[in-house]
Amino acid sequence: MTVIDIVEFEINNERYALDIGLTREIVEMIPITPVPRAPPYIAGIINLRGEITNIINLNNILDLPEKSAEDIEEHKIIVLVPEAAEGSIVGIIVDAVHSVLQIPEKNIEKVSGGLSSEAYVKGIIKIEDKDTENLDTEKGRQKSLIIWLDISQLLQDLLASAR
């Protein structure tokens, strides 16, 4: 049975995931320096241990509402491996990082067509939560959905549009 390793995170109370292979590290939110005339999806840059890291606001790209300013310090930054962005160091802002999961391929419904390319959705992950209110009466668990984002395609499209 094939398993896929993902990082599960949250944006606006919704669960998302990305491939663990794209993740270099997860860091606490630090002050972001705005970049003049940058596209709206660029939150700015940070100095992460001497490396200038471009910070992307996924809310803007995915057309999700922004959280209030006082909640921002609770956010996390998922720093991606440089290979994900053609050698650039890029981080994405998320509300919270929950866990690293190993998902059996049978629990993933692949998405194709317009939704996958327009919304950068690679698939929908179905997992069972033990401690939830809406229980599946057969198994006593709720089936939760995690949107598996195609971060590689998203970055490719952003880099292509910047040229």
Side-chain angles (χ1 to χ4, degrees):
M1 170 175 55
T2 305
V3 294
I4 297 173
D5 295 326
I6 59 152
V7 175
E8 179 196 357
F9 58 94
E10 183 177 317
I11 299 175
N12 284 341
N13 299 319
E14 293 296 330
R15 297 164 76 178
Y16 296 91
L18 62 86
D19 299 290
I20 189 84
L22 297 176
T23 306
R24 186 174 95 178
E25 63 184 305
I26 298 162
V27 297
E28 299 291 326
M29 180 56 81
I30 59 177
I32 297 172
T33 303
V35 177
R37 300 178 47 90
Y41 59 83
I42 299 286
I45 56 173
I46 61 172
N47 183 345
L48 186 61
R49 293 183 298 283
E51 293 180 316
I52 300 302
T53 304
N54 300 294
I55 303 300
I56 294 176
N57 184 340
L58 273 183
N59 292 60
N60 184 285
I61 295 169
L62 301 176
D63 202 23
L64 299 170
E66 296 282 336
K67 284 225 172 174
S68 62
E70 58 268 5
D71 292 335
I72 289 178
E73 62 191 40
E74 300 297 320
H75 287 41
K76 304 281 189 243
I77 298 173
I78 300 175
V79 181
L80 305 175
V81 294
E83 296 78 24
E86 297 179 4
S88 297
I89 301 172
V90 173
I92 56 174
I93 300 171
V94 300
D95 295 348
V97 176
H98 293 295
S99 58
V100 172
L101 300 172
Q102 290 189 319
I103 306 294
E105 201 167 30
K106 68 181 177 75
N107 290 12
I108 300 172
E109 190 168 318
K110 300 285 182 176
V111 176
S112 61
L115 179 63
S116 64
S117 62
E118 292 293 319
Y120 300 108
V121 175
K122 200 171 189 179
I124 305 298
I125 299 169
K126 298 173 275 189
I127 62 167
E128 292 182 354
D129 286 342
K130 296 174 191 167
D131 305 317
T132 55
E133 296 173 17
N134 304 328
L135 297 179
D136 177 342
T137 52
E138 289 179 31
K139 297 186 180 183
R141 297 179 175 184
Q142 176 181 349
K143 293 242 186 222
S144 292
L145 302 177
I146 300 174
I147 299 171
W148 184 19
L149 294 176
D150 192 345
I151 296 293
S152 294
Q153 186 62 52
L154 183 146
L155 291 173
Q156 284 178 16
D157 289 355
L158 292 179
L159 289 168
S161 69
R163 292 185 182 121

